[in-house]
């Protein structure tokens, strides 16, 4: 008699959802880190103030984000060398330093908003000082770094939090039953009075060049190659579609509930009223959990981007298992915690300001992505087609225009 215990084969039906979610990994991580408290705040405020009229901005951002994420995915598939390493070799050390530090500073500015968002949720729920929760969640984020399977933990955490947020807002919309015709009218571009700067912050929160840039690192961290091109591109697209759906659902919820009832958004608690039809008296608790989900997922993902890129820029190391990489991730987390503690009295303003200031740094990074995805050194099978290149040029043009307006609005107006 055989001593080897025979086990029944696993049901393909049971394995299908797990396999699907596993394949979504990098795309979901990109979606989760892009959809932070800034995105949640801005989408809710704009839905409350302008109804469905700015849905077109989300659709445009999703199209452009998909184009740049696909470019970055192909860059990651082409070479085992990291993106920053290739910039050092093919363009120059100074350019690589500028890109690396630019991404680090961008993530550092977002990190403050992420830390504030995660801490603010529990601070308001339990009526406790925010610094206590800043300390708790900063410590938890650092603690998670020291698991050997950090990438797998990150992936599962992001998937769970994104599903939680999607479900909450989708169920609310089903209950509210908004006017479909009015929603479709929001696809037609329009610029309501006073919405110009908010459109910039909305675009910055949805069309994240930094997130797209890091997609090449996520692709390499997963260990896939050129043979996996089709699956990798599909996964990255799906992640951005989920991001677009989440952003749109939030705006529709806010427009249907807050705008319809003339409720102005002045605090994080006001943001939560968009979910009142679903959760009733438990609305504040439900929304704060969602606000925490958006904030904490971005807090970890954003710090990972900044730390990995900084470590690659300074030390030529990008592997998440390396101590220097984790040390740089911790640095971003601590910067975010410090700024959050100092400016915690103006959390929503801080979140929105971080979104706007970032737009001034990203055009150069977008140009780098477009150059590398069209360069002579990339294989023909991975080069951009004319449509993707056109989208890249449109995206860069929009980023430059928004940067000019952002500088004018922040420093001269």
């Amino acid at each position: 008699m055989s001593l080897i215990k025979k086990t029944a084969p696993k049901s393909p039906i049971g394995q299908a959802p797990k396999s699907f979610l596993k394949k979504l990994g990098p795309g979901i991580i990109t979606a989760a880190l892009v959809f932070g408290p800034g995105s949640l705040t801005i989408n809710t405020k704009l839905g409350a103030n302008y109804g469905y009229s700015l849905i077109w901005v989300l659709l445009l951002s999703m199209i452009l984000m998909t184009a740049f994420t696909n470019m970055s995915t192909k860059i990651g598939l082409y070479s085992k060398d990291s993106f920053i390493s290739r910039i050092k070799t093919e363009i120059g050390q100074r350019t690589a330093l500028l890109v690396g530090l630019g991404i680090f500073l961008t993530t550092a500015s977002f990190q403050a908003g992420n830390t504030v968002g995660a801490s603010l949720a529990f601070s308001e729920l339990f009526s406790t000082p925010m610094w206590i929760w800043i300390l708790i969640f900063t410590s938890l984020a650092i603690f998670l770094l020291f698991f050997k399977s950090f990438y797998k933990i990150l992936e599962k955490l992001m998937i769970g939090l994104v599903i939680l947020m999607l479900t909450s807002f989708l169920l609310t919309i089903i209950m509210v039953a908004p006017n479909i015709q009015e929603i479709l009218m929001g696809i037609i571009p329009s610029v309501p009075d006073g919405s110009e700067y908010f459109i910039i912050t909305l675009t910055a929160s949805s069309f994240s060049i930094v997130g797209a840039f890091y997609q090449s690192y996520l692709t390499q961290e997963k260990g896939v190659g050129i043979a996996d091109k089709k699956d990798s591109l599909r996964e990255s697209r799906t992640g951005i579609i989920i991001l677009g759906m989440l952003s749109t659902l939030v705006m529709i919820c806010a427009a249907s509930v807050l705008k319809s009832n003339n409720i102005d958004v002045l605090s994080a608690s006001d943001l939560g009223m968009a979910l009142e039809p679903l959760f009733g008296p438990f609305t504040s608790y439900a929304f704060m959990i969602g606000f925490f989900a958006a904030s904490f997922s971005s807090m970890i993902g954003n710090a990972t981007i900044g730390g990995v890129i900084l470590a690659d820029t300074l030390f030529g190391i990008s592997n998440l298992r390396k101590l220097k990489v984790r040390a740089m991730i911790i640095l971003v987390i601590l910067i975010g915690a410090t700024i959050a503690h100092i400016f915690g009295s103006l959390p929503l303003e801080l979140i929105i300001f971080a979104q706007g200031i970032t737009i001034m740094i990203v055009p150069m990074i977008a140009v780098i992505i477009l150059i590398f995805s069209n360069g002579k050194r990339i294989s023909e099978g991975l080069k951009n087609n004319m449509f993707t290149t056109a989208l890249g040029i449109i995206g860069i043009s929009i980023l430059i225009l928004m940067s000019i307006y952002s500088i004018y609005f922040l420093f001269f107006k």
Side-chain angles (χ1 to χ4, degrees):
M1 185 176 71
S2 172
L3 296 176
I4 301 174
K5 186 178 178 180
K6 294 182 179 180
T7 56
K10 294 182 179 179
S11 168
I13 296 175
Q15 288 298 302
K18 291 181 180 179
S19 176
F20 175 71
L21 290 175
K22 185 177 180 181
K23 286 182 178 180
L24 282 180
I28 286 284
I29 292 175
T30 300
L33 65 89
V34 171
F35 191 85
S39 299
L40 186 53
T41 300
I42 291 163
N43 280 289
T44 305
K45 285 179 75 71
L46 292 187
N49 292 340
Y50 304 106
Y52 310 109
S53 60
L54 294 178
I55 289 177
W56 66 271
V57 179
L58 295 176
L59 295 178
L60 176 61
S61 298
M62 187 172 70
I63 292 169
L64 296 176
M65 182 69 180
T66 300
F68 278 92
T69 303
N70 281 353
M71 291 183 217
S72 186
T73 298
K74 289 186 283 188
I75 291 167
L77 289 171
Y78 175 69
S79 172
K80 291 183 179 179
D81 294 329
S82 70
F83 204 162
I84 289 290
S85 295
R86 289 190 60 198
I87 294 172
K88 288 178 182 177
T89 304
E90 298 175 31
I91 299 181
Q93 293 278 351
R94 290 183 180 179
T95 303
L97 183 63
L98 195 58
V99 170
L101 290 179
I103 291 176
F104 170 73
L105 291 173
T106 299
T107 56
S109 70
F110 273 109
Q111 193 65 14
N114 296 330
T115 307
V116 165
S119 307
L120 178 68
F122 281 79
S123 175
E124 291 202 8
L125 274 179
F126 299 107
S127 300
T128 50
M130 197 163 67
W131 69 265
I132 295 174
W133 298 103
I134 291 174
L135 180 62
I136 290 172
F137 294 130
T138 297
S139 301
L140 178 60
I142 293 172
F143 175 73
L144 288 173
L145 279 173
F146 290 93
F147 283 91
K148 288 183 179 179
S149 55
F150 174 65
Y151 177 81
K152 291 181 180 178
I153 293 172
L154 179 68
E155 192 174 78
K156 290 178 180 177
L157 179 67
M158 299 304 189
I159 290 172
L161 294 176
V162 166
I163 289 174
L164 171 67
M165 290 185 285
L166 270 173
T167 304
S168 296
F169 286 102
L170 181 58
L171 289 175
T172 302
I173 288 174
I174 292 172
M175 292 187 68
V176 174
N179 188 308
I180 302 298
Q181 187 176 355
E182 290 182 9
I183 293 173
L184 292 176
M185 289 295 291
I187 298 174
I188 301 171
S190 64
V191 182
D193 290 341
S195 67
E196 293 85 357
Y197 185 66
F198 283 109
I199 288 175
I200 290 176
T201 58
L202 178 61
T203 306
S205 67
S206 305
F207 176 27
S208 171
I209 288 297
V210 170
F213 185 93
Y214 189 64
Q215 184 74 20
S216 66
Y217 286 82
L218 287 172
T219 301
Q220 291 176 335
E221 188 71 29
K222 200 172 182 184
V224 294
I226 295 178
D228 304 294
K229 171 191 168 184
K230 189 175 179 181
D231 286 342
S232 296
L233 291 176
R234 184 176 63 245
E235 290 157 20
S236 69
R237 282 195 299 270
T238 304
I240 303 308
I241 290 170
I242 290 172
L243 169 65
M245 284 176 55
L246 191 49
S247 300
T248 305
L249 289 176
V250 172
M251 186 176 286
I252 291 173
C253 265
S256 305
V257 180
L258 302 180
K259 175 71 171 175
S260 299
N261 293 289
N262 296 315
I263 298 172
D264 194 14
V265 176
L266 300 174
S267 69
S269 298
D270 295 334
L271 294 172
M273 294 179 73
L275 290 174
E276 192 167 11
L278 176 62
F279 293 102
F282 301 102
T283 294
S284 59
Y285 295 98
F287 179 79
M288 285 304 176
I289 291 171
F291 198 68
F292 167 76
S295 303
F296 193 69
S297 61
S298 287
M299 182 180 171
I300 295 179
N302 185 72
T304 303
I305 291 179
V308 169
I309 299 301
L310 185 62
D312 198 12
T313 302
L314 299 180
F315 312 116
I317 302 171
S318 60
N319 191 308
L320 287 170
R321 289 175 286 277
K322 299 296 183 181
L323 186 59
K324 285 183 178 178
V325 174
R326 297 188 183 194
M328 294 300 100
I329 295 174
I330 290 172
L331 176 62
V332 179
I333 293 173
L334 293 177
I335 288 173
T338 302
I339 297 175
H341 179 65
I342 294 171
F343 295 100
S345 59
L346 296 172
L348 295 182
E349 289 82 356
L350 178 62
I351 292 168
I352 293 172
F353 180 77
Q355 301 279 0
I357 199 71
T358 300
I359 203 72
M360 295 187 290
I361 301 173
V362 298
M364 178 187 67
I365 300 171
V367 171
I368 295 284
I369 293 174
L370 187 61
I371 288 172
F372 273 80
S373 58
N374 278 323
K376 294 180 180 179
R377 300 193 184 190
I378 196 166
S379 62
E380 286 298 325
L382 295 175
K383 275 188 180 179
N384 292 338
N385 55 32
M386 289 181 65
F387 179 68
T388 303
T389 300
L391 285 177
I393 293 170
I394 291 169
I396 291 167
S397 301
I398 290 173
L399 289 172
I400 291 171
L401 289 172
M402 289 196 304
S403 294
I404 293 169
Y405 186 85
S406 222
I407 292 168
Y408 166 73
F409 186 91
L410 290 170
F411 300 108
F412 299 104
K413 192 171 181 179

